[in-house]
Amino acid sequence: MTTTTPDHKPAQPPSVEAALAEFSTCIDIEQRTFPKNAIQAVYLLHLVSQDQLYREIIRPFMNATDDETAHLLTQSVFSEVCSHCECVDAILNGKAALYQGNQAWIIDLARPIGRTIEQSETESVIAGPHDGFVENMMENLAVIRQRIRSSHLKTVELSVGEVTKTPVIVAYIEGIANPDLLQALIDRIKGIETDAVYEANMLVQMIDDNPNSVFPQFMTTERPDVICSKLTAGRIVCLVDGSPSVFSCPTSFFEFFTSPDDYYQRWQLGTALRLLRIIGFLITIGFTAFYVAVTTYHYEMIPHTMLLNLVESRSRVPFPPLFEALLMETTIELLREAGARLPTKIGQTIGIVGGIVIGQAAVQAGFTSNVLIIAVASSAIASFVIPSYIMSASIRLIRFGLIILAGILGNLGLIVGIGFIVIHLAGITNLGTSYLTPVAPMNKMDWLDSFIRGPFYLLRNRPSQTRTTNTVKTKMRK
Amino acid sequence: MSEKISPFHIALLVYMIELDVTFFSLPRLIAENIGTNGWIGLIGLSLIAGLNIVLIQLVYRFAKGRTVYEIMERAIPKWIMYPVYVLLAVFWVMLGSFVAKKFVLIFQIISFQTAPSMFLYSLIAVMALYLLTKGIYNISKAVTIFFFFLIPVAFLAVYFIPEWEPIRFTTFLFREAAEGHSFRNWLEVYTIFTGYELVLLLFPYADRSKKIFKGVYIGHFLLTSMYLLLTAVCFGFYSLGQLQSLMYPVIDLLSYIELPFINRIENLILTLFLFANLVSLTMFLWAALTALKRLFPKPKKNALEIGLVVLSALIAIYPKITRDSEALLRAALYAETGLAFAVPILLLLLLAWQNRPKGGRSA
Amino acid sequence: MRKGISLLIAIVLLTGCRDEKVIDRLGFISTIAYDLAGSEQGNNMLHISISIPKAQPFNERVLLSTYAKTSKEARFTFSRQNNRQIVNGQLRSVLFGKTLAEQGLWSRIDTLVRDPGIDSEVSVVVVSGDANALLKSKYPQYSESRYIDELIQTETKSRDIPNTNLHSFTRDYFDDGIDPTAPLLKKGDMGLEIDGIALFHEDRYVARIAPEDALLFSFLTGNFHTGDITVSSSGGDGIDTGDIMMGSLSSKRSITIRHLDALRDGNHLDVTIKLKIRGSLMEYIGPLKLQQSADQIKLESDLNKYVEKKTEAFIRRMQAVKADPIGIGLYARSSMRYKQWKAADWHDRFPHVKVHVKADVKIKDIGKLQQS
């Protein structure tokens, strides 16, 4: 793959001078000259492995005669290049360029940079594999290959960003993934015109169908097992270098509520967990808003046994329920954000300070009612049940809108708000497929693996959203 | 518009168009106009609506993929049809607006009594506009979700089992109707089914490879069973005289429910029925839109949609009190029922004429 | 579109809030008491009191009282007095004085049912005496704000007295084959007491069933699953076998209608009410040896006679006042043609109907002790 910047003519012959000029005022460029055979090596000091450099270049070429040099350069690790541009690209990718006169060879000396594979911080599971993707794309691809030992796992390499030239790999399983969707995805990625992309979550925002939607439209994950299950389901995945997140598509809204855990436990438990998440979703989105609606407009709805307690706890609060709720929700969001920014150990302190001190004191000071604290806390907890951090953040944001609507129009506001969300969701597409699959368009088989997690012998078909021609995934009978 | 609506979504669409604000007064309508054991009458009326659907199905079969407008325009000169389209569009906008306005007025019985009703109406109108701009395929998707919001309400029927006495059904058939039996009274009950006729306009958007009318029948059947369930619950829970005296028996029914965490769920469920009325309004506006699109085939983006919604809001200003709104809605529903029968028959005649064997030469 | 939405939000922010009912600024009426005012206030005047529970101090309440023509008029007066907006969405029970109930309750209940704020599960209670006085008196041993409501709830749960609320009162009032009933309440020495069941002719209070007979009466009104019955030989109930107490009663009622004439015109009806009663024997003081089946059977037949005698007596009293709380009319209606049913008012027919009760009491078990 070559990317060309307008400064270079592709045909410019390689030369040391041109290369050094290209990297002028870069402190990490190094040039090493071997006087005996007029070889000059150019490389970026910290991208190459010193070990390999010594073994592959310094030791052999140090004392090599011309003949020996010529022989050495025929080795397969060296590949001859004939343009300046290729040389620059190679150097940028951690290779070393060897110049001799007008000829140039490159050799890969890149050393892996970044952390080693470890557990994903954002998506952890109890049972199941504990490895997570890292920042190195090739390593991530290797992890996927390790799980899917099939030559049908094909890749397309692309690059995004005029300046960063971030490598991106689109991977799919030939014969399962839909070629039209694949082409659509490749076209979209090629269509990105920006100077820099650092993260998969950033990339997806440039290629989605509804850039103004608050909902994430591509499923991103840091878990290799999830990505492999997406691949075998017929989805297309995309790795971005420098990002531990990998995204898959086409994505449906309900995919964000599934977790690999569901498959590693018995199907009854998996089903219960999925229902729990749906309840969590409803609580997150509506509980506080409902509290506001009821206490502001619909006092009749409170059971009479609860009524006096509620009035009692509200009676010392000077604000209307709407402001009370917004105040507490903002506080919770502040706590959460502070906890996320701070190191784990201090983060725990924040939790204690926030949870106990502020919560307790706010009630005693008459700033808020304790029923509201319960509502706010339970919707915060429920929001963390949603496996995808990005989806959970979107939902938390929407919640504020609903709270405000409920504070102004009571239940009507709540329902109108939900109506707008539903209409909005109905309009979202992902690579042209419906975001609300399998509810609309309806697919019975998909229900077995979205709202519930059916036993494996029932999960016969790949999800319809992938538009795969190879639909059967399980042939096993009970 | 490449995706086609599958029979399943047509079923839900039909269900949701038919389901509207009349739901709340339905048991009273039946008790008043049909009398004792009105549920049997309901089945009969539903069958008549089924016959109407059969007519529409025949149109679909003979039309062979042509839209209703195309069939009409082949037979009738365009300069006659254009004013008809405008009239139809205005009528449908009126019908939709009356339905939504009546919902607002009923809603204001329970809460927001003093808020300006047009303000509440404009909320629904904006939602309808938002839906309309998404196109019919996405409307059908949203309708599916709305359906799943509403269907759990049916399970509340369980709550009434202890208070439910079959003896209150009485052994009399169609007695005690408040004004005796007349065509008009039965027609009034029949109007609860209006809405299915919009299927006529859905032909070009439906998945021709599948049996779309299976969807229509299922949707209609689902609605009928829903209405039957409601009627059965009400007739066993209320006495007939009480049913006739209650304005909106369903609201009373819901207010009877006391759940451990929540009381008076009519506050929530009545609001939830906003969705059913929103769908009715949107679909009638959409019907008007299809008619207007014949006049303006290439409109500016969203111009027609905005125009229709504004028109609907203007129309909705007119009925200000429940009594007026009820009378207007009833009149509009009668007209719509007439259309529902007349248009398919007219179309069938046109089709028979258009498809007649051409002098036997082709045979 | 986007502009439209932001405009709408602006309107929302400006116009909302008018119908706000923030819970801590409301006074919730929990009980209303209606009485006919004395002659010094003029005719048609009502004496109305409301009780508003207070959140703090707990169990306290605000009690307001006024004379007015209608309950809505009274609410204006109350609103002027109270520092909070008075709402009736949490109303739990309505008390009617006996004299008012004798004049007919429908016009009062009509207002309550019409009000969309009031739900249909509000208990309807008749007070033997002055409802206002009952509401005003203090019962230091009980939580003031909820005492009446809790008492009614407990009693109706045990099915001793009928669960009468706005819905069931309206339902039976409108039905031509049944008349409403309501629990009767009175002020006792220590607190409130259930004073039996009020029987209505249409909406007028006409007769009372004593509290000790309430259980037998509820055998007649329908199926139920809990309750105790005590029968004593000393009470002159025609039982000479001793004192019996039965618990965990469950009863099933079935009504069969026979037309004595071939025309079936409904003027010669013969009604049989079958009561299937099952219960455990909890206490027995008497000569019979309970471990013997024969003696148990004897006991059962005595109980049968007792139940039949008592219940038939009730029915004759009901017939005398033309009140049909059992709903015999419903069954009679189902056995007739529409024209015949409509030919006469059920209230006029009911006194002439022959009613028999056939009780079938069975002792399910005699407890843990075999010998006595």
Side-chain angles (χ1 to χ4, degrees):
Chain A
M1 180 208 66
T2 56
T3 45
T4 50
T5 43
D7 316 359
H8 302 286
K9 293 184 185 69
Q12 193 183 355
S15 72
V16 185
E17 292 73 27
L20 289 175
E22 187 84 36
F23 290 102
S24 61
T25 69
C26 299
I27 54 159
D28 51 348
I29 192 81
E30 196 171 74
Q31 178 204 15
R32 198 178 269 262
T33 314
F34 301 98
K36 249 188 179 164
N37 40 33
I39 289 268
Q40 301 198 60
V42 177
Y43 49 87
L44 284 166
L45 185 57
H46 303 289
L47 286 185
V48 298
S49 137
Q50 297 300 323
D51 252 19
Q52 264 187 312
L53 181 74
Y54 179 75
R55 205 167 54 239
E56 302 283 353
I57 297 181
I58 300 179
R59 205 178 53 187
F61 288 99
M62 184 74 91
N63 296 312
T65 59
D66 283 353
D67 286 351
E68 281 168 355
T69 310
H71 178 72
L72 277 171
L73 287 171
T74 56
Q75 283 176 334
S76 63
V77 290
F78 296 97
S79 56
E80 190 167 355
V81 289
C82 34
S83 82
H84 166 68
C85 219
E86 279 177 86
C87 285
V88 172
D89 265 346
I91 294 171
L92 284 172
N93 282 315
K95 295 173 185 173
L98 300 180
Y99 296 91
Q100 189 179 42
N102 284 334
Q103 284 174 294
W105 294 265
I106 54 173
I107 174 170
D108 195 350
L109 301 176
R111 75 183 165 98
I113 296 175
R115 58 196 172 103
T116 50
I117 289 177
E118 55 194 47
Q119 180 151 12
S120 158
E121 289 272 323
T122 49
E123 300 162 63
S124 53
V125 294
I126 310 287
H130 290 288
D131 54 347
F133 285 127
V134 291
E135 282 74 9
N136 186 323
M137 177 177 73
M138 283 308 171
E139 208 149 322
N140 293 346
L141 187 63
V143 171
I144 295 174
R145 281 241 184 251
Q146 217 173 30
R147 282 188 163 80
I148 302 178
R149 292 174 191 83
S150 162
S151 57
H152 288 289
L153 174 63
K154 305 289 183 190
T155 54
V156 176
E157 198 181 10
L158 302 165
S159 130
V160 174
E162 299 285 340
V163 176
T164 56
K165 297 196 185 72
T166 313
V168 167
I169 289 180
V170 175
Y172 61 98
I173 296 184
E174 198 179 44
I176 302 180
N178 180 310
D180 298 336
L181 292 178
L182 175 68
Q183 197 52 51
L185 178 68
I186 291 173
D187 290 348
R188 292 231 184 134
I189 295 177
K190 277 184 179 165
I192 296 176
E193 287 184 5
T194 185
D195 60 351
V197 166
Y198 311 107
E199 237 283 334
N201 284 311
M202 190 172 159
L203 179 76
V204 293
Q205 292 178 51
M206 298 174 182
I207 59 171
D208 54 19
D209 299 11
N210 306 67
N212 288 328
S213 171
V214 66
F215 293 104
Q217 291 156 53
F218 286 88
M219 171 96 179
T220 54
T221 177
E222 294 187 14
R223 298 190 54 84
D225 51 335
V226 174
I227 282 303
C228 292
S229 74
K230 301 289 177 209
L231 276 169
T232 52
R235 296 186 205 274
I236 303 156
V237 306
C238 182
L239 297 81
V240 178
D241 197 32
S243 155
S245 305
V246 176
F247 72 84
S248 74
C249 59
T251 308
S252 101
F253 180 65
F254 304 102
E255 236 179 295
F256 290 95
F257 297 90
T258 61
S259 153
D261 269 20
D262 307 346
Y263 299 97
Y264 305 149
Q265 309 204 37
R266 309 296 302 173
W267 70 266
Q268 294 89 340
L269 265 167
T271 302
L273 281 176
R274 287 203 174 161
L275 295 178
L276 189 72
R277 280 190 211 116
I278 291 174
I279 295 170
F281 168 64
L282 295 177
I283 290 178
T284 307
I285 207 161
F287 194 30
T288 315
F290 189 59
Y291 167 86
V292 172
V294 166
T295 48
T296 318
Y297 291 98
H298 307 287
Y299 70 95
E300 312 101 326
M301 295 182 76
I302 307 164
H304 60 108
T305 43
M306 244 186 252
L307 181 72
L308 289 181
N309 295 334
L310 203 58
V311 173
E312 202 261 308
S313 84
R314 266 283 311 165
S315 58
R316 296 198 304 141
V317 183
F319 326 109
L322 173 62
F323 290 103
E324 186 194 1
L326 286 178
L327 192 77
M328 282 325 287
E329 286 286 359
T330 314
T331 314
I332 287 261
E333 289 301 301
L334 284 175
L335 280 174
R336 193 193 50 71
E337 190 63 17
R341 296 286 152 262
L342 289 169
T344 328
K345 282 172 192 155
I346 309 178
Q348 285 171 351
T349 327
I350 288 288
I352 296 166
V353 172
I356 298 173
V357 180
I358 296 188
Q360 188 77 12
V363 172
Q364 283 181 353
F367 255 57
T368 174
S369 65
N370 35 28
V371 183
L372 177 74
I373 296 265
I374 297 172
V376 169
S378 51
S379 41
I381 291 169
S383 77
F384 298 122
V385 173
I386 298 159
S388 159
Y389 176 76
I390 292 185
M391 179 54 98
S392 133
S394 302
I395 290 168
R396 279 204 308 271
L397 183 65
I398 291 169
R399 185 172 61 179
F400 279 91
L402 282 180
I403 292 173
I404 293 173
L405 274 172
I408 297 164
L409 284 168
N411 280 342
L412 181 69
L414 195 59
I415 297 289
V416 166
I418 290 173
F420 270 111
I421 295 171
V422 169
I423 299 170
H424 174 72
L425 282 174
I428 297 181
T429 51
N430 178 271
L431 294 182
T433 63
S434 166
Y435 195 48
L436 288 179
T437 324
V439 175
M442 171 64 92
N443 186 300
K444 269 179 291 176
M445 290 307 282
D446 286 359
W447 277 60
L448 287 175
D449 195 8
S450 48
F451 298 104
I452 59 172
R453 201 284 275 175
F456 286 115
Y457 63 85
L458 281 179
L459 304 180
R460 283 179 202 294
N461 291 355
R462 298 203 160 86
S464 65
Q465 196 187 16
T466 59
R467 300 193 181 160
T468 169
T469 44
N470 187 346
T471 53
V472 180
K473 74 171 173 187
T474 307
K475 285 182 186 156
M476 184 178 55
R477 301 275 159 185
K478 185 160 65 169
Chain B
M1 209 55 77
S2 56
E3 281 109 337
K4 299 289 186 183
I5 307 172
S6 72
F8 175 81
H9 296 283
I10 291 211
L12 298 193
L13 209 50
V14 167
Y15 176 90
M16 290 291 279
I17 305 172
E18 290 191 31
L19 187 74
D20 59 25
V21 67
T22 38
F23 183 79
F24 291 96
S25 44
L26 172 76
R28 172 179 54 90
L29 278 180
I30 292 175
E32 244 174 21
N33 295 309
I34 304 184
T36 50
N37 283 311
W39 58 278
I40 298 172
L42 190 70
I43 294 177
L45 290 174
S46 169
L47 287 177
I48 296 176
L51 276 181
N52 198 343
I53 298 177
V54 172
L55 281 181
I56 297 172
Q57 188 177 15
L58 288 177
V59 174
Y60 177 72
R61 183 170 299 165
F62 293 129
K64 299 197 182 79
R66 277 179 297 164
T67 69
V68 174
Y69 297 118
E70 282 163 5
I71 301 169
M72 289 206 274
E73 279 165 20
R74 245 183 80 183
I76 307 168
K78 283 194 176 174
W79 60 270
I80 299 181
M81 285 317 292
Y82 282 172
V84 173
Y85 289 159
V86 174
L87 279 179
L88 269 181
V90 171
F91 171 69
W92 277 325
V93 173
M94 271 169 66
L95 185 56
S97 312
F98 291 157
V99 168
K101 183 63 186 270
K102 178 147 181 245
F103 170 75
V104 169
L105 290 174
I106 294 184
F107 178 77
Q108 287 198 301
I109 293 177
I110 289 200
S111 37
F112 294 96
Q113 290 88 346
T114 62
S117 57
M118 276 320 289
F119 159 64
L120 299 182
Y121 184 87
S122 57
L123 277 177
I124 303 181
V126 169
M127 288 175 90
L129 177 63
Y130 194 30
L131 257 180
L132 264 187
T133 53
K134 301 249 172 211
I136 183 69
Y137 180 67
N138 288 331
I139 291 177
S140 85
K141 289 201 289 186
V143 165
T144 312
I145 305 278
F146 290 148
F147 171 82
F148 286 112
F149 274 110
L150 283 174
I151 201 72
V153 175
F155 293 105
L156 291 175
V158 178
Y159 189 86
F160 297 98
I161 291 173
E163 295 285 327
W164 191 80
E165 296 270 358
I167 193 83
R168 296 198 190 102
F169 275 68
T170 75
T171 47
F172 311 137
L173 188 63
F174 304 162
R175 301 287 181 166
E176 307 250 330
E179 303 165 14
H181 293 281
S182 66
F183 176 70
R184 214 184 62 82
N185 285 341
W186 282 70
L187 184 63
E188 191 178 342
V189 180
Y190 181 79
T191 55
I192 57 173
F193 292 113
T194 36
Y196 57 82
E197 64 279 358
L198 292 187
V199 175
L200 271 173
L201 305 174
L202 280 174
F203 291 173
Y205 308 98
D207 194 345
R208 274 192 74 80
S209 62
K210 293 180 184 146
K211 292 177 176 158
I212 68 161
F213 272 86
K214 203 170 127 197
V216 182
Y217 289 120
I218 289 175
H220 181 67
F221 174 76
L222 201 61
L223 183 92
T224 310
S225 21
M226 206 62 187
Y227 280 173
L228 273 178
L229 176 69
L230 174 70
T231 318
V233 167
C234 280
F235 274 62
F237 179 73
Y238 292 118
S239 60
L240 190 74
Q242 185 186 19
L243 207 48
Q244 289 172 339
S245 76
L246 290 173
M247 196 68 194
Y248 304 106
V250 179
I251 294 179
D252 283 81
L253 200 65
L254 293 172
S255 85
Y256 194 75
I257 297 176
E258 279 188 2
L259 301 176
F261 279 99
I262 194 169
N263 279 358
R264 306 296 292 279
I265 49 171
E266 83 266 23
N267 277 298
L268 197 60
I269 288 172
L270 181 65
T271 322
L272 210 53
F273 266 80
L274 170 82
F275 292 150
N277 294 286
L278 172 69
V279 173
S280 299
L281 171 66
T282 310
M283 285 310 288
F284 283 115
L285 288 181
W286 176 80
L289 188 69
T290 57
L292 285 187
K293 277 213 174 133
R294 304 303 294 184
L295 270 79
F296 310 101
K298 294 246 182 296
K300 241 175 81 184
K301 190 170 176 276
N302 292 346
L304 283 182
E305 284 89 343
I306 293 173
L308 284 172
V309 170
V310 170
L311 177 67
S312 129
L314 290 177
I315 291 173
I317 293 177
Y318 184 66
K320 287 198 175 58
I321 56 174
T322 330
R323 180 169 22 124
D324 287 353
S325 137
E326 196 130 326
L328 283 171
L329 177 61
R330 203 176 303 150
L333 284 174
Y334 289 162
E336 178 70 11
T337 312
L339 270 183
F341 277 98
V343 171
I345 292 174
L346 175 75
L347 286 172
L348 280 176
L349 290 176
L350 287 179
L351 281 169
W353 180 65
Q354 283 168 9
N355 295 350
R356 70 190 183 279
K358 305 234 163 62
R361 269 175 299 171
S362 56
Chain C
M1 187 75 220
R2 209 157 294 281
K3 270 183 201 158
I5 291 178
S6 43
L7 187 73
L8 199 78
I9 290 172
I11 300 172
V12 168
L13 287 170
L14 292 174
T15 52
C17 309
R18 260 207 280 172
D19 295 293
E20 247 184 30
K21 292 195 177 91
V22 183
I23 52 163
D24 46 310
R25 291 183 219 144
L26 302 176
F28 311 97
I29 303 179
S30 72
T31 313
I32 309 184
Y34 292 94
D35 270 306
L36 272 186
S39 46
E40 65 267 26
Q41 266 80 31
N43 285 338
N44 302 328
M45 287 296 265
L46 292 170
H47 185 193
I48 301 175
S49 295
I50 56 171
S51 143
I52 300 171
K54 283 207 287 200
Q56 262 179 333
F58 208 65
N59 286 338
E60 289 285 305
R61 60 176 180 172
V62 175
L63 203 94
L64 301 173
S65 181
T66 186
Y67 291 92
K69 276 210 178 64
T70 64
S71 49
K72 296 290 151 192
E73 191 189 324
R75 245 183 70 190
F76 290 127
T77 322
F78 295 144
S79 295
R80 284 204 297 274
Q81 291 173 13
N82 203 278
N83 59 346
R84 294 176 175 205
Q85 189 189 349
I86 291 190
V87 290
N88 48 18
Q90 289 279 353
L91 185 64
R92 304 298 305 164
S93 41
V94 219
L95 311 177
F96 294 103
K98 194 173 155 192
T99 40
L100 181 66
E102 277 164 355
Q103 290 198 351
L105 291 181
W106 178 243
S107 54
R108 313 288 151 232
I109 289 186
D110 176 286
T111 326
L112 295 172
V113 174
R114 191 178 300 275
D115 189 336
I118 295 176
D119 70 300
S120 41
E121 255 198 303
V122 172
S123 314
V124 175
V125 179
V126 177
V127 175
S128 320
D130 193 341
N132 283 274
L134 181 127
L135 188 61
K136 278 177 197 160
S137 43
K138 289 192 174 290
Y139 310 99
Q141 298 180 40
Y142 302 97
S143 69
E144 280 197 343
S145 50
R146 298 194 198 157
Y147 182 32
I148 296 176
D149 181 41
E150 281 171 357
L151 182 72
I152 303 277
Q153 291 304 320
T154 330
E155 290 296 317
T156 49
K157 284 261 162 60
S158 72
R159 290 287 284 190
D160 244 337
I161 58 166
N163 179 12
T164 302
N165 47 41
L166 287 177
H167 161 72
S168 64
F169 194 95
T170 318
R171 182 191 65 209
D172 294 345
Y173 171 73
F174 272 111
D175 206 321
D176 49 7
I178 189 168
D179 288 307
T181 53
L184 265 173
L185 211 58
K186 78 167 181 201
K187 215 176 123 180
D189 303 332
M190 305 294 288
L192 297 177
E193 261 175 43
I194 294 285
D195 193 31
I197 299 164
L199 305 185
F200 287 82
H201 170 83
E202 294 193 329
D203 63 337
R204 291 196 304 280
Y205 169 56
V206 286
R208 161 177 173 263
I209 300 278
E212 52 272 23
D213 295 334
L215 183 81
L216 280 168
F217 177 73
S218 57
F219 285 151
L220 286 174
T221 48
N223 305 336
F224 79 96
H225 296 288
T226 170
D228 305 319
I229 185 171
T230 315
V231 181
S232 162
S233 59
S234 51
D237 294 325
I239 298 211
D240 49 6
T241 40
D243 296 332
I244 307 155
M245 179 183 163
M246 280 177 78
S248 318
L249 286 175
S250 73
S251 91
K252 260 193 167 149
R253 177 199 72 169
S254 61
I255 296 180
T256 37
I257 307 275
R258 251 172 0 107
H259 289 261
L260 294 177
D261 54 344
L263 275 172
R264 300 170 70 86
D265 63 356
N267 292 328
H268 303 87
L269 287 176
D270 181 89
V271 180
T272 313
I273 302 177
K274 274 198 189 123
L275 301 175
K276 210 166 126 186
I277 301 165
R278 300 285 178 271
S280 317
L281 194 116
M282 311 274 274
E283 195 177 295
Y284 176 70
I285 301 163
L288 292 179
K289 294 271 176 278
L290 284 186
Q291 62 269 40
Q292 294 172 6
S293 313
D295 279 7
Q296 284 192 19
I297 292 169
K298 163 97 172 60
L299 204 57
E300 284 170 358
S301 75
D302 279 350
L303 282 168
N304 281 344
K305 263 186 256 157
Y306 170 76
V307 171
E308 284 166 13
K309 196 180 143 206
K310 287 286 265 191
T311 48
E312 281 182 11
F314 294 153
I315 291 171
R316 272 190 290 283
R317 273 182 59 207
M318 291 168 205
Q319 286 178 322
V321 294
K322 295 189 180 176
D324 178 14
I326 307 170
I328 295 176
L330 298 176
Y331 292 86
R333 183 171 66 189
S334 296
S335 73
M336 280 185 234
R337 292 175 157 277
Y338 181 68
K339 274 204 181 109
Q340 293 163 347
W341 171 253
K342 278 285 161 187
D345 188 3
W346 173 245
H347 287 120
D348 299 329
R349 278 179 181 161
F350 181 53
H352 310 294
V353 171
K354 292 196 178 69
V355 185
H356 315 281
V357 178
K358 274 189 74 70
D360 170 25
V361 184
K362 286 267 153 63
I363 296 168
K364 228 163 55 184
D365 59 79
I366 56 167
K368 292 193 294 183
L369 196 63
Q370 218 197 12
Q371 271 174 339
S372 56

